[in-house]
Amino acid sequence: MINNTKSRADKWWETGVIYQIYPLTFADANGDGKGDLQGIIKKLDYLNGGQPDSKNSLGIDAIWLSPINTSPMFDNGYDISDYYDICPVFGTLEDFETLLAECHQRNIKVILDLVVNHTSDQHDWFIESSSSKDNPKSDWYHWQDAEPNGSVPNNWLSYFGGTAWTYCEARDQYYYHAFNKNQPDLNWNNPEVREAVYNIIRFWLDKGVDGFRLDASSVYSKDKYYRYNPVKFGTTDRNNYNNQDHLYDKDLPENHHIIQEIRQIIDEYDARVLIGETFIDSSLYDSITFYGIKNDELHLPFNFEFTFSPWYPGYLQRKIAKIEAVTPKDCWPTYFLDNHDIPRHLSRWIECSLCTNPDAIAEAAATLLLTVRGTPVMYYGQEIGMVDNLDIPPEKIQDKAVVKSETGELPPPRDGARTPMQWDDTAHAGFSFGKDVEPYLPVNDNYTEVNVVQQLENKDSIFNFYRRLIKIRKNSKALLRGSWKPLIHYPYEHLAYVRQTKAEKVLIIINFSYEKPMEVDEYIEPEDWSVLISNIWEEGKIIDIPETLQPFEITILQKN
C-alpha cells in the first residue's frame, strides 16, 4: 500500500526507542551456546511486555536485529550466503515469523540489518561470478586485471587492513572487498544486481518487517574506472587506510541514487523505516547528506559525532549543537552510545571522568540519550551497565574478519562489546542453560554483580533508571517533539538545557562533578517545578531550581 504523506505522528521511528540485539549473544533457548530467535522470543516481555506500568519491562518500542540471514559466520553474520532464509544457528524462517508476530502483539517494531554492500564468498552469486569471465553473473562483483607489473589493480585498501583486492585463479583476476576477502563487494553499477537486491527488500517487507538498517550504506558505489585514491599530504597514520583520501571507493554521488531507489521501495509500504550506517570515519556533514536533498534517502542516518565525544560537558554540548545546526528542516536526528562495532560507552568514558562510579556515568549518559531531540538507539546490556570484556583468551576470539594491515598492525577485535547478555548470576549469566557447552563468547566476570535479576530487585539500579526515564519520555510531548535549548554557553562541569513545546517545558540538569553552584547563562524561571526524575530529589515533589548541585546530580524538572 502506497503511503507518501506520513504525518509526524505516523513516524514511530521519531518517537520510539530502538534497541539493538546482537542475536549470537542475547539469549540461547536451545542450549547450544549460541543465541537464537527462540531465545529472543522468550525475552520479549523483558523488552516490552505490553503493560505500560510493568516494573520488569524496559519499555522499548523497536528491536533492531544484527544479521540473522544464512551465513558461514566468518564475520558473525555480516557475510550473507542466502538472503531469503534464516541462518540455522538462529533457527528457521518459521521461528522468525513467530518472533515477528510476538513482537507486533506487544507493539514492538522489528528492524532487520540489511547487508548488501557485499555478500559472502560462499553466496551462489559469487560462486558463479568467480567461475569464469563469461558467465551470466560475471559482472555482479568488481573484477579487475592486475597491473602490467603484476601488482594489484590499484591502491584501494580494506577497512579491516591490507589491500582490498584478492586474486581469483579461475578468472585470473582480482576481486574487490571493502572489508574482508570473504566479503566480496557487489557491483551496484549492474542493474541486475540492483533488481536482485530490491527483490530481497520486498520479500522481507512483505513478511511484515518494519524497516531496515543498511550496513555500510555509504560504500555501495565505486568509481567505474577504478582510479587510484590520492594519498593525503604529509599523513603518517599507522593505519594506511587513514592515509588516503577515499575519493573513488566510497561516498560517491551514485551512492545517493541507490539509497533513493531503496527509499522508494520502503515508501510503497505503510510506516516502514530506513536507517543507515554512514560509516564510522565519515564526517557529520557526510552523514547528513544521506537524508537526501528532498528528504528522500535515509529516515535516520547514523553518525558517530556524539558517540565518540569525550565525556566532558563542553564537548557533548558542542556535538549536540552541531547536530542540531546541520540537521535539515523536516529531518530527524538520531543518537546512540554503543553498537556492535565499538567499545561500550562505560568502557570508553569511565577513564576520562572525575566520577569513579560507573552507575553515575551510566545514568548521566542515559539522561543525555533519552532527553536530547532525536531518536535514541540502545544496545543490549547498556540498560544494566554492561562493560567490555577485556579478558577474552585469543583462542576464543570470534571476530575473525579483522586482519593485519600492511604495517603489521592488528585492529582490535570487537568481541569485548559483544559478550553474552547478563541475565542472572547462574552459570553463563543465564544466557544459556547448556551445561556441557561454552557460550559463543566468554561471559564477563562481573556478571554476578551486574545482571538483570540483581537490577530488577534494586529500585535505584541503572535498569530502573532507564525504565523510568523511558516512561517519562513517552509521556512528555516536550521530550518527544520539543525544541532543544542549552542554558549554558560554554559548559565546564555541568549541563543544563530545556526541551519545550508551546504547552510544556522540561529542564534537564546533569552535574559531571562534585558539589557546585547551579549556574546558567540564559534566564530560566526559578520557581514552581515538578520533579520528573532525579537521583537527589523525590519524584513528584514541587521545588525551586536548586541553587547548589549535589555531586553527579541528575534532575529533570517540569514547569508547573
Side-chain angles (χ1 to χ4, degrees):
M1 182 182 297
I2 296 176
N3 181 4
N4 292 322
T5 58
K6 301 182 184 69
S7 69
R8 278 280 180 221
D10 294 327
K11 297 178 180 179
W12 56 264
W13 54 86
E14 294 184 354
T15 57
V17 177
I18 300 173
Y19 185 96
Q20 182 189 358
I21 290 175
Y22 194 69
L24 280 165
T25 53
F26 188 68
D28 171 22
N30 64 8
D32 67 355
K34 301 179 181 69
D36 46 46
L37 297 181
Q38 287 293 337
I40 297 172
I41 292 169
K42 291 179 183 299
K43 299 298 184 181
L44 288 180
D45 284 344
Y46 164 79
L47 297 174
N48 188 338
Q51 302 297 323
D53 294 323
S54 172
K55 294 183 178 180
N56 295 331
S57 176
L58 187 57
I60 56 89
D61 302 283
I63 57 172
W64 150 32
L65 300 176
S66 289
I68 55 174
N69 298 111
T70 305
S71 168
M73 288 289 167
F74 187 83
D75 189 18
N76 299 284
Y78 285 89
D79 49 330
I80 293 173
S81 55
D82 184 353
Y83 289 95
Y84 289 97
D85 206 352
I86 302 298
C87 189
V89 169
F90 302 121
T92 65
L93 192 56
E94 184 179 4
D95 289 331
F96 175 76
E97 292 167 347
T98 301
L99 171 62
L100 190 62
E102 292 286 340
C103 283
H104 287 168
Q105 186 177 351
R106 294 167 173 81
N107 294 319
I108 299 174
K109 307 292 186 181
V110 178
I111 301 165
L112 294 184
D113 225 320
L114 187 64
V115 186
V116 290
N117 170 69
H118 51 268
T119 69
S120 165
D121 61 354
Q122 297 181 33
H123 196 291
D124 288 346
W125 297 347
F126 185 76
I127 292 172
E128 181 176 350
S129 184
S130 62
S131 65
S132 68
K133 294 182 180 180
D134 57 1
N135 66 78
K137 290 185 172 57
S138 60
D139 193 32
W140 279 43
Y141 295 83
H142 295 276
W143 295 97
Q144 288 290 290
D145 294 330
E147 290 280 65
N149 64 2
S151 63
V152 295
N154 62 26
N155 69 341
W156 295 359
L157 297 174
S158 163
Y159 193 78
F160 286 159
T163 179
W165 297 96
T166 292
Y167 181 71
C168 173
E169 187 173 351
R171 288 186 56 138
D172 190 27
Q173 284 184 309
Y174 287 86
Y175 66 88
Y176 173 76
H177 48 90
F179 298 96
N180 192 273
K181 67 179 181 179
N182 302 81
Q183 299 164 297
D185 279 36
L186 286 164
N187 179 11
W188 279 87
N189 293 322
N190 186 328
E192 293 181 355
V193 169
R194 293 195 187 197
E195 188 58 32
V197 172
Y198 299 160
N199 287 338
I200 292 165
I201 292 172
R202 290 189 176 94
F203 173 83
W204 291 104
L205 290 173
D206 289 340
K207 285 281 183 189
V209 302
D210 299 287
F212 299 98
R213 176 262 189 187
L214 302 180
D215 181 66
S217 61
S218 59
V219 297
Y220 290 167
S221 60
K222 285 85 179 174
D223 180 56
K224 63 182 179 179
Y225 302 112
Y226 299 98
R227 285 171 282 195
Y228 276 60
N229 281 327
V231 177
K232 294 178 181 177
F233 177 74
T235 187
T236 58
D237 198 297
R238 289 184 62 192
N239 183 346
N240 281 337
Y241 187 91
N242 297 330
N243 292 330
Q244 292 184 359
D245 284 315
H246 292 272
L247 304 185
Y248 300 117
D249 59 352
K250 60 179 288 191
D251 289 341
L252 272 68
E254 182 58 25
N255 215 109
H256 294 277
H257 299 150
I258 295 169
I259 304 295
Q260 288 167 8
E261 292 175 3
I262 295 175
R263 173 66 178 272
Q264 289 171 11
I265 298 171
I266 295 293
D267 285 346
E268 293 172 6
Y269 297 77
D270 281 329
R272 312 297 171 94
V273 68
L274 190 63
I275 303 170
E277 175 194 35
T278 55
F279 227 52
I280 290 176
D281 59 340
S282 294
S283 72
L284 173 61
Y285 298 102
D286 291 332
S287 297
I288 291 300
T289 64
F290 281 91
Y291 285 112
I293 298 300
K294 299 179 180 179
N295 300 342
D296 56 356
E297 296 182 37
L298 300 174
H299 293 109
L300 300 175
F302 282 167
N303 72 80
F304 291 78
E305 190 82 16
F306 172 80
T307 309
F308 287 155
S309 170
W311 184 246
Y312 175 77
Y315 276 94
L316 289 162
Q317 180 166 296
R318 285 199 292 273
K319 300 299 185 184
I320 298 167
K322 190 174 177 182
I323 291 170
E324 283 283 320
V326 303
T327 299
K329 182 181 179 182
D330 295 328
C331 293
W332 194 249
T334 183
Y335 290 85
F336 62 97
L337 302 174
D338 305 331
N339 71 23
H340 61 286
D341 277 334
I342 60 176
R344 290 181 177 271
H345 69 282
L346 290 183
S347 294
R348 300 195 310 270
W349 283 340
I350 191 67
E351 297 299 328
C352 58
S353 170
L354 289 172
C355 178
T356 57
N357 180 0
D359 287 12
I361 298 177
E363 292 180 357
T367 303
L368 277 168
L369 180 68
L370 292 164
T371 63
V372 292
R373 191 182 74 92
T375 299
V377 181
M378 297 176 60
Y379 182 55
Y380 82 100
Q382 79 177 60
E383 73 275 14
I384 60 170
M386 282 181 61
V387 296
D388 287 358
N389 185 352
L390 303 178
D391 297 316
I392 302 175
E395 67 273 12
K396 294 185 179 180
I397 290 290
Q398 297 288 352
D399 190 10
K400 303 179 181 68
V402 294
V403 296
K404 285 186 178 180
S405 68
E406 294 170 355
T407 62
E409 181 182 12
L410 186 66
R414 297 160 292 180
D415 287 341
R418 301 174 174 182
T419 52
M421 179 67 174
Q422 295 163 205
W423 294 104
D424 56 40
D425 61 2
T426 64
H428 309 321
F431 158 73
S432 173
F433 66 83
K435 296 181 179 179
D436 299 323
V437 298
E438 289 190 359
Y440 185 70
L441 284 167
V443 176
N444 196 311
D445 288 341
N446 72 355
Y447 76 94
T448 55
E449 290 82 33
V450 179
N451 62 69
V452 171
V453 169
Q454 176 265 339
Q455 298 244 337
L456 288 174
E457 295 172 349
N458 177 4
K459 66 180 181 64
D460 296 321
S461 68
I462 299 171
F463 171 86
N464 278 312
F465 187 85
Y466 265 100
R467 181 185 60 78
R468 287 152 49 209
L469 191 50
I470 289 172
K471 181 180 177 182
I472 288 167
R473 182 181 181 275
K474 287 180 187 293
N475 293 323
S476 169
K477 292 294 185 183
L479 291 179
L480 290 177
R481 292 294 187 192
S483 61
W484 174 86
K485 178 185 177 182
L487 299 181
I488 306 171
H489 297 162
Y490 306 105
Y492 182 53
E493 291 184 331
H494 69 287
L495 288 175
Y497 53 92
V498 169
R499 299 291 312 282
Q500 184 171 3
T501 63
K502 290 181 178 179
E504 183 186 13
K505 180 183 289 187
V506 174
L507 170 63
I508 296 95
I509 303 169
I510 307 172
N511 184 14
F512 290 64
S513 183
Y514 302 100
E515 183 176 308
K516 65 186 308 298
M518 167 57 184
E519 297 172 333
V520 297
D521 299 308
E522 299 287 336
Y523 176 76
I524 185 80
E525 304 94 323
E527 300 175 343
D528 197 24
W529 293 80
S530 294
V531 178
L532 294 179
I533 190 171
S534 175
N535 59 1
I536 301 297
W537 301 92
E538 179 185 349
E539 292 180 23
K541 187 181 175 86
I542 308 298
I543 65 170
D544 296 341
I545 295 175
E547 296 182 358
T548 301
L549 297 180
Q550 298 306 305
F552 310 105
E553 176 175 347
I554 298 167
T555 295
I556 301 179
L557 304 174
Q558 183 183 57
K559 188 72 177 77
N560 293 320

